[in-house]
Amino acid sequence: MAEVSNKEVTNREDNYSQWYNNLVVKADLAELSAVRGCMVIKPYGYAIWEKMQRQLDSMFKETGHVNAYFPLFIPKSFLSREAEHVEGFAKECAVVTHHRLKVAPDGKGVVVDPDAKLEEELIVRPTSETIIWNTYKNWIKSWRDLPILCNQWANVVRWEMRTRLFLRTAEFLWQEGHTAHATREEAVAEAQKMVDVYARFAREFMAMPVVIGHKSETERFAGALDTYSIEAMMQDGKALQAGTSHFLGQNFAKAFDVQFANKEGKLEYVWATSWGVSTRLMGALIMCHSDNNGLVLPPALAPIQVVMVPIYKQDEEREAILARMEELKKGFEAKGLSVKIDDRDNLRPGFKFAEWELKGVPVRVVIGPRDLESGHVELARRDTSTKENIAQEGLADHVAALMDEIQKNLYAKALKFRDENIRKVDTWEEFKVEIEKGGFLLCHWDGTPETEEKIKEETKATIRCIPIDSCVCEEEGVCVYSGKPSHQRVVFARAY
Amino acid sequence: MAEVSNKEVTNREDNYSQWYNNLVVKADLAELSAVRGCMVIKPYGYAIWEKMQRQLDSMFKETGHVNAYFPLFIPKSFLSREAEHVEGFAKECAVVTHHRLKVAPDGKGVVVDPDAKLEEELIVRPTSETIIWNTYKNWIKSWRDLPILCNQWANVVRWEMRTRLFLRTAEFLWQEGHTAHATREEAVAEAQKMVDVYARFAREFMAMPVVIGHKSETERFAGALDTYSIEAMMQDGKALQAGTSHFLGQNFAKAFDVQFANKEGKLEYVWATSWGVSTRLMGALIMCHSDNNGLVLPPALAPIQVVMVPIYKQDEEREAILARMEELKKGFEAKGLSVKIDDRDNLRPGFKFAEWELKGVPVRVVIGPRDLESGHVELARRDTSTKENIAQEGLADHVAALMDEIQKNLYAKALKFRDENIRKVDTWEEFKVEIEKGGFLLCHWDGTPETEEKIKEETKATIRCIPIDSCVCEEEGVCVYSGKPSHQRVVFARAY
């Protein structure tokens, strides 16, 4: 790979958006591809995504879900079976119309073979409700076949016009859970359970605080009766929707005629949920913790948790230090830590320090000839930029404990920032001033899409969610815009 | 799910092909979808694929590879950069031509929006050499950037006209490794290393013997200088190509202009390999071991290794037996075994036995009231259909050891079958007779595509490989068809 240096990363304060793009590319996470709006996820970025996947997958399995796989393509007619769904997805989808190329008439290159036109066009899935409910139709006969609790890890395509690495790409990777239930109550409980799983994942593994809530009708998933989401605050004060869980009612069951015989033998339509998180989480992770020196990764998701950099002049020193490092590495690995010894001999230590800072490795261990003699190492933390000299004896225990501390510190730091940037706002004048400062505004809202739309038009702020995981918001008041009565504050913010 | 019974599985001897299709569907592995040629991989089938993935992924990582992700779409022009490659893939690919639908003029449903035509059509990847080498171009400047050892887990699409679940589907799941090297030797060694990894996986985890060899020029991957494959023998004597590894020379580096500065600062083209296995392995696994009662799964890949079925009349008995089973389950799980207690109360034990046989669970443990009293269980092996009465004490150790035994037994059985069905054939008359009996024919071949083609025309047999992992084939002789001189026997067979 090309040599990197965090000196090339734009300052966060100068241009947040450019800082982000810079960081994604310089830290070797992802890059644009030759295909408009599609990204290449590079090995270092993919390694983080893999850790997210493994963790989420085990949380899904613990909550009783199984994985399956459904087709990439959706017959065009399926999309229009659910009225809101087609509205939401038809405008931005990749359409397969032919199944063959042939040599161009001039003999140069290939052209689409007009004789290979499909009878019905296929849509590359933007989400899989339709093809899955068409499948569930054959799986469900009686109440004994319920619930069905399937998840799939897959790629999806939404033809976005303005794309940004990880945050909004034409193709992205995600998981989508699709469950089928005998009762409304069970489906609602499932949708809630899964948004809670997402919140726990965000908090415990991404070290990212989130607000759990309902989406307003306007912001709901196309085809859902209710959408839950987790909303995180980025360091520029903007909101990022990090995961959603939908209660779909009987909409898809009715669209695809999926009924089951209940215990009394009567036919009823099945109740549904769907829920998903995507590679967008990578964007959230980056923007939640990173700084002007590069990525800051929580230990729970860092592909490399400890990097070791030797300092030496002579080859002899190098050998002795690397040998010692190999021993220490074994100790780290016995504690379940992932370790890299950076033994490249064509780069200066300072360059290596900068590179691993850029890549967000939580802990750096440096050993020079004098450390070797004294039995010490220099240990640097990425999250606090602090260094300490510490004995090699007991180092693995110390570093293992440090990982927990760093994980907690990152969460505490992000939580502090988030809480400092949540403000109650009660007047429209105040709203217009405060929204410019960024952050989440807790405001009363009259519950109408019209007010929501006007606020969006005037300030670009949207309702991120109607919070459910904290009771501070339930109180009587009047809408910040219309002055009409309201029973609960909601979260307004500008969003990614 | 609908109730299943292995009585409904067609006999293998009556109709092998129907037996296979039946088994895939009845054992809940996969089914056809509403999209022509695309399958739904059901949870039980996917669980087996997941175990394959986890194991292969760790073998790839142990051999120094990392995962990454490249776009689903390939610009049409990329495909034609490598002449043989386009020849191989252009005739069967899904072509995206538009990026939007709109409401139909009659207001019913949606139609493709003619205003949303893409400037250049996109091909849904049939394999990713082109898009990846277009990316590698930017990653590779000097010898220090090499080797690149990337793998991706992905879906691919090849518009096959005749499809069969797992064996040949329009969309399938696979992994594709794409590596870049400074020298020919290193690339050749990589291609060999990976076919060896596949062979080890097939033998040790799938319990499936394979022959490793080179493909003939005719059967080579489109764009490769040399293709290695592993070839397995199915129970009907037909061959199944279970994995391939390609030495691509500098073909793709030249097509995408990927050069590196060597240690002397001179520019050279990069050397490439690619290698892949797919959900086709599921078909191989099924056809290698299963019987008229259903699937037979090797313990190493069985999602459920032990199933426990209670036999009772009264509720009291049921409770006591299930309580005892829960205890035993903990003991099994402590040994790393995956266990399911089938406590469904609406099905007879005999029905459950049949269902778990159909699903190929390696070991069944049955406890009835008398077993509870005597401290015994009835233990049944799927692979041998044998039963024994055995003490509950020490059961976990016994079953853990049994897993190894079953795994070895399945391999030994498959190897015996394979070896009994490999025959040396030296005359054309004999060839025509023997090929009808199935199996692998070891024959001398004059090395020409013309002879290969004629043999295929007359007998439907193809050269599966020119074996490299056994020396029995290297000997002087004359071509079974043309009588011309030959230095090595090759494997002829009819194939999936």
Side-chain angles (χ1 to χ4, degrees):
Chain A
M1 318 281 153
E3 289 188 0
V4 286
S5 153
N6 47 17
K7 300 226 177 72
E8 299 163 33
V9 176
T10 307
N11 269 349
R12 206 168 30 166
E13 297 72 20
D14 297 345
N15 187 335
Y16 192 82
S17 162
Q18 196 174 309
W19 165 80
Y20 173 80
N21 288 337
N22 241 248
L23 210 156
V24 171
V25 173
K26 299 283 175 192
D28 267 341
L29 300 177
E31 63 187 34
L32 286 172
S33 77
V35 183
R36 206 198 62 84
C38 292
M39 64 181 162
V40 171
I41 306 180
K42 299 180 78 172
Y44 192 62
Y46 200 85
I48 301 171
W49 174 241
E50 261 186 308
K51 290 202 114 183
M52 289 185 172
Q53 278 189 305
R54 288 276 169 123
Q55 181 54 40
L56 283 166
D57 196 70
S58 81
M59 292 168 91
F60 298 157
K61 284 175 179 154
E62 276 163 25
T63 45
H65 302 87
V66 290
N67 287 327
Y69 188 76
F70 299 87
L72 172 66
F73 298 127
I74 294 177
K76 193 189 64 181
S77 59
F78 280 22
L79 215 56
S80 32
R81 293 254 201 119
E82 212 286 336
E84 284 182 28
H85 198 70
V86 67
E87 181 81 9
F89 292 106
K91 284 172 209 147
E92 43 175 44
C93 59
V95 189
V96 177
T97 56
H98 292 76
H99 64 81
R100 192 163 62 224
L101 300 172
K102 62 171 193 178
V103 177
D106 65 0
K108 284 175 196 159
V110 283
V111 293
V112 176
D113 183 345
D115 294 340
K117 193 168 188 303
L118 295 177
E119 241 173 82
E120 180 179 3
E121 295 89 352
L122 297 172
I123 311 306
V124 180
R125 64 183 160 216
T127 180
S128 302
E129 277 77 7
T130 57
I131 188 86
I132 288 180
W133 278 87
N134 183 67
T135 307
Y136 281 179
K137 185 179 167 54
N138 304 318
W139 294 7
I140 299 170
K141 303 282 171 235
S142 101
W143 63 275
R144 287 195 184 273
D145 301 322
L146 297 172
I148 293 178
L149 304 171
C150 278
N151 174 62
Q152 88 171 349
W153 290 95
N155 53 345
V156 284
V157 171
R158 298 178 186 176
W159 207 266
E160 305 275 359
M161 280 303 150
R162 296 176 58 191
T163 61
R164 292 189 66 188
L165 290 167
F166 290 123
L167 296 175
R168 197 176 294 277
T169 48
E171 181 193 15
F172 55 92
L173 304 184
W174 80 344
Q175 59 68 216
E176 46 181 326
H178 294 272
T179 70
H181 306 267
T183 65
R184 165 190 278 270
E185 293 66 38
E186 204 184 295
V188 169
E190 166 78 9
Q192 286 169 345
K193 181 197 278 176
M194 298 320 290
V195 79
D196 286 342
V197 164
Y198 291 154
R200 189 156 72 80
F201 174 75
R203 291 165 184 159
E204 293 178 17
F205 295 87
M206 298 176 68
M208 182 172 79
V210 290
V211 177
I212 307 179
H214 300 274
K215 283 291 185 186
S216 66
E217 205 186 315
T218 315
E219 299 277 334
R220 227 176 250 160
F221 175 76
L225 297 192
D226 194 3
T227 289
Y228 300 85
S229 78
I230 52 170
E231 302 285 331
M233 189 190 289
M234 302 294 98
Q235 292 168 341
D236 60 352
K238 282 171 81 173
L240 187 143
Q241 174 181 300
T244 49
S245 181
H246 316 292
F247 168 58
L248 303 171
Q250 296 173 313
N251 286 353
F252 287 93
K254 284 177 180 167
F256 289 88
D257 193 27
V258 188
Q259 298 187 71
F260 71 101
N262 65 18
K263 289 188 187 177
E264 288 75 44
K266 253 186 69 183
L267 285 182
E268 288 184 55
Y269 284 107
V270 179
W271 299 87
T273 83
S274 67
W275 29 274
V277 295
S278 73
T279 35
R280 197 166 208 238
L281 288 179
M282 294 287 296
L285 185 73
I286 296 161
M287 287 204 291
C288 182
H289 302 299
S290 305
D291 62 25
N292 286 332
N293 291 325
L295 270 187
V296 177
L297 291 176
L301 298 175
I304 301 169
Q305 295 171 309
V306 182
V307 67
M308 303 176 83
V309 179
I311 296 184
Y312 54 88
K313 278 181 185 144
Q314 288 104 35
D315 277 357
E316 258 172 43
E317 286 170 355
R318 180 173 189 267
E319 266 171 50
I321 291 170
L322 288 178
R324 187 74 193 102
M325 284 185 163
E326 287 293 346
E327 286 169 41
L328 290 170
K329 188 179 177 209
K330 276 181 204 145
F332 289 137
E333 286 172 346
K335 299 277 167 197
L337 298 169
S338 59
V339 188
K340 184 176 177 72
I341 298 175
D342 186 351
D343 59 359
R344 290 174 295 177
D345 59 3
N346 61 321
L347 298 172
R348 284 168 300 104
F351 184 93
K352 293 180 182 177
F353 293 178
E355 180 172 330
W356 297 116
E357 267 180 12
L358 176 55
K359 293 200 162 183
V361 175
V363 164
R364 181 181 75 218
V365 169
V366 178
I367 303 183
R370 242 176 283 174
D371 299 312
L372 197 63
E373 231 167 76
S374 70
H376 282 69
V377 305
E378 184 194 83
L379 191 151
R381 276 173 70 159
R382 179 66 182 90
D383 62 330
T384 54
S385 299
T386 51
K387 289 186 214 172
E388 58 176 329
N389 256 279
I390 183 167
Q392 288 170 21
E393 211 184 310
L395 188 63
D397 280 320
H398 180 81
V399 171
L402 192 54
M403 289 297 156
D404 288 337
E405 196 182 319
I406 294 174
Q407 185 79 25
K408 284 189 189 122
N409 177 51
L410 286 175
Y411 183 75
K413 212 166 148 185
L415 185 63
K416 184 162 174 286
F417 177 81
R418 205 260 322 246
D419 288 347
E420 283 169 1
N421 289 284
I422 296 190
R423 301 184 293 289
K424 290 194 181 180
V425 167
D426 291 314
T427 70
W428 182 238
E429 284 316 303
E430 208 190 339
F431 189 104
K432 286 187 288 188
V433 174
E434 290 298 320
I435 199 69
E436 295 302 326
K437 299 178 189 164
F440 291 179
L441 305 188
L442 288 175
C443 307
H444 281 284
W445 164 58
D446 63 18
T448 69
E450 293 73 27
T451 296
E452 194 180 357
E453 183 58 30
K454 278 178 187 156
I455 293 175
K456 188 176 175 183
E457 270 170 30
E458 289 189 39
T459 65
K460 289 182 191 150
T462 49
I463 297 175
R464 299 321 304 152
C465 71
I466 303 158
I468 53 172
D469 68 335
S470 84
C471 47
V472 296
C473 296
E474 283 181 26
E475 56 170 37
E476 299 301 311
V478 296
C479 174
V480 72
Y481 188 82
S482 68
K484 289 182 190 159
S486 149
H487 312 295
Q488 184 180 32
R489 289 178 187 272
V490 301
V491 175
F492 275 96
R494 288 178 182 156
Y496 280 94
Chain B
M1 317 283 150
E3 290 188 358
V4 287
S5 154
N6 46 18
K7 302 228 174 70
E8 300 163 31
V9 176
T10 307
N11 268 349
R12 207 166 32 167
E13 296 71 21
D14 297 344
N15 186 335
Y16 192 83
S17 163
Q18 196 174 310
W19 164 81
Y20 172 81
N21 288 338
N22 240 249
L23 210 157
V24 171
V25 173
K26 298 282 176 195
D28 267 340
L29 300 177
E31 63 186 32
L32 286 172
S33 76
V35 183
R36 207 198 62 82
C38 292
M39 65 180 160
V40 172
I41 307 180
K42 298 182 80 172
Y44 193 62
Y46 200 85
I48 301 171
W49 175 241
E50 261 185 306
K51 290 203 116 182
M52 289 185 172
Q53 278 188 303
R54 288 276 170 120
Q55 181 54 40
L56 284 164
D57 196 70
S58 82
M59 292 168 90
F60 298 156
K61 283 174 179 155
E62 276 164 25
T63 45
H65 302 86
V66 289
N67 287 327
Y69 188 77
F70 299 87
L72 171 67
F73 298 127
I74 294 176
K76 193 190 63 182
S77 59
F78 280 22
L79 214 58
S80 32
R81 294 254 201 116
E82 214 284 337
E84 283 182 30
H85 197 68
V86 67
E87 181 81 9
F89 292 105
K91 283 173 211 145
E92 45 175 42
C93 59
V95 189
V96 177
T97 56
H98 292 74
H99 63 81
R100 193 163 61 225
L101 299 173
K102 63 172 191 177
V103 177
D106 64 1
K108 284 176 198 161
V110 283
V111 294
V112 175
D113 184 344
D115 293 342
K117 194 170 190 301
L118 295 176
E119 240 174 83
E120 180 179 3
E121 294 89 351
L122 297 171
I123 311 307
V124 180
R125 65 181 161 218
T127 179
S128 301
E129 278 76 8
T130 58
I131 188 86
I132 288 180
W133 278 87
N134 183 67
T135 306
Y136 282 178
K137 183 177 168 54
N138 303 316
W139 294 6
I140 299 168
K141 303 282 173 232
S142 101
W143 63 275
R144 286 195 184 273
D145 302 321
L146 296 171
I148 292 178
L149 304 172
C150 280
N151 174 60
Q152 87 171 349
W153 291 95
N155 52 345
V156 284
V157 171
R158 298 178 186 177
W159 208 265
E160 305 275 359
M161 280 302 150
R162 294 177 58 190
T163 60
R164 289 190 69 187
L165 291 167
F166 290 124
L167 295 174
R168 197 176 295 276
T169 48
E171 181 193 14
F172 55 92
L173 303 184
W174 80 344
Q175 60 69 219
E176 45 182 326
H178 294 273
T179 70
H181 306 267
T183 65
R184 164 190 279 269
E185 293 67 36
E186 204 184 295
V188 169
E190 167 78 10
Q192 286 169 343
K193 180 198 282 178
M194 296 323 288
V195 80
D196 286 342
V197 164
Y198 290 154
R200 191 156 69 81
F201 174 76
R203 290 163 183 161
E204 292 177 19
F205 295 87
M206 297 176 68
M208 182 172 80
V210 291
V211 177
I212 307 178
H214 299 274
K215 284 289 181 186
S216 67
E217 205 185 318
T218 314
E219 300 276 334
R220 227 177 251 162
F221 176 76
L225 296 191
D226 194 3
T227 289
Y228 300 87
S229 78
I230 53 171
E231 302 283 332
M233 189 189 291
M234 302 296 98
Q235 293 169 341
D236 60 351
K238 283 172 79 173
L240 186 143
Q241 174 181 299
T244 50
S245 180
H246 316 292
F247 168 59
L248 303 171
Q250 297 172 313
N251 285 353
F252 287 92
K254 283 178 180 164
F256 290 88
D257 193 27
V258 189
Q259 298 188 69
F260 71 101
N262 66 18
K263 289 188 186 176
E264 288 76 43
K266 254 185 68 182
L267 285 181
E268 288 185 55
Y269 283 107
V270 179
W271 298 87
T273 83
S274 67
W275 30 274
V277 294
S278 73
T279 35
R280 193 164 212 238
L281 287 180
M282 294 286 297
L285 185 72
I286 296 161
M287 287 203 293
C288 182
H289 303 298
S290 304
D291 62 25
N292 286 333
N293 292 324
L295 271 186
V296 177
L297 291 176
L301 297 176
I304 301 169
Q305 294 170 309
V306 182
V307 67
M308 303 176 83
V309 179
I311 295 185
Y312 54 87
K313 279 185 184 141
Q314 288 103 33
D315 277 357
E316 257 172 45
E317 285 171 359
R318 181 173 190 265
E319 265 171 52
I321 291 170
L322 288 178
R324 186 73 195 103
M325 284 186 163
E326 286 295 344
E327 286 169 42
L328 289 171
K329 189 181 178 206
K330 276 180 204 143
F332 288 137
E333 285 173 346
K335 299 277 166 199
L337 298 170
S338 60
V339 187
K340 185 177 176 71
I341 299 175
D342 186 350
D343 59 0
R344 291 176 293 176
D345 59 3
N346 62 319
L347 299 171
R348 283 170 301 105
F351 184 92
K352 293 181 182 178
F353 293 179
E355 179 172 332
W356 297 116
E357 266 181 15
L358 176 55
K359 291 199 163 185
V361 175
V363 164
R364 181 181 74 217
V365 169
V366 178
I367 303 185
R370 244 176 281 174
D371 299 313
L372 198 64
E373 232 166 77
S374 71
H376 281 69
V377 304
E378 184 194 85
L379 193 150
R381 276 174 69 160
R382 179 66 182 90
D383 63 329
T384 54
S385 300
T386 51
K387 288 186 219 172
E388 58 176 330
N389 256 278
I390 183 166
Q392 288 170 23
E393 211 185 307
L395 187 63
D397 280 320
H398 180 80
V399 171
L402 192 55
M403 289 297 156
D404 288 337
E405 196 182 316
I406 294 174
Q407 185 80 25
K408 282 188 192 125
N409 178 51
L410 285 176
Y411 183 75
K413 211 165 147 184
L415 186 64
K416 184 163 174 284
F417 177 83
R418 203 255 331 242
D419 288 348
E420 282 169 3
N421 289 283
I422 297 189
R423 304 183 292 287
K424 289 193 182 182
V425 167
D426 291 313
T427 71
W428 185 235
E429 286 315 303
E430 205 190 343
F431 189 103
K432 285 187 287 186
V433 173
E434 290 298 319
I435 199 68
E436 295 301 327
K437 300 178 189 162
F440 292 179
L441 306 188
L442 288 175
C443 308
H444 281 284
W445 163 59
D446 63 19
T448 69
E450 293 73 26
T451 296
E452 195 181 357
E453 183 57 30
K454 279 179 186 153
I455 293 176
K456 188 177 174 183
E457 269 169 31
E458 290 189 40
T459 65
K460 290 186 190 142
T462 50
I463 297 176
R464 301 319 305 152
C465 72
I466 303 158
I468 53 174
D469 68 337
S470 84
C471 47
V472 296
C473 297
E474 282 181 27
E475 54 169 41
E476 298 302 311
V478 297
C479 175
V480 71
Y481 188 85
S482 68
K484 290 183 189 156
S486 151
H487 311 297
Q488 183 180 30
R489 289 180 187 268
V490 302
V491 175
F492 275 95
R494 287 177 182 157
Y496 278 95

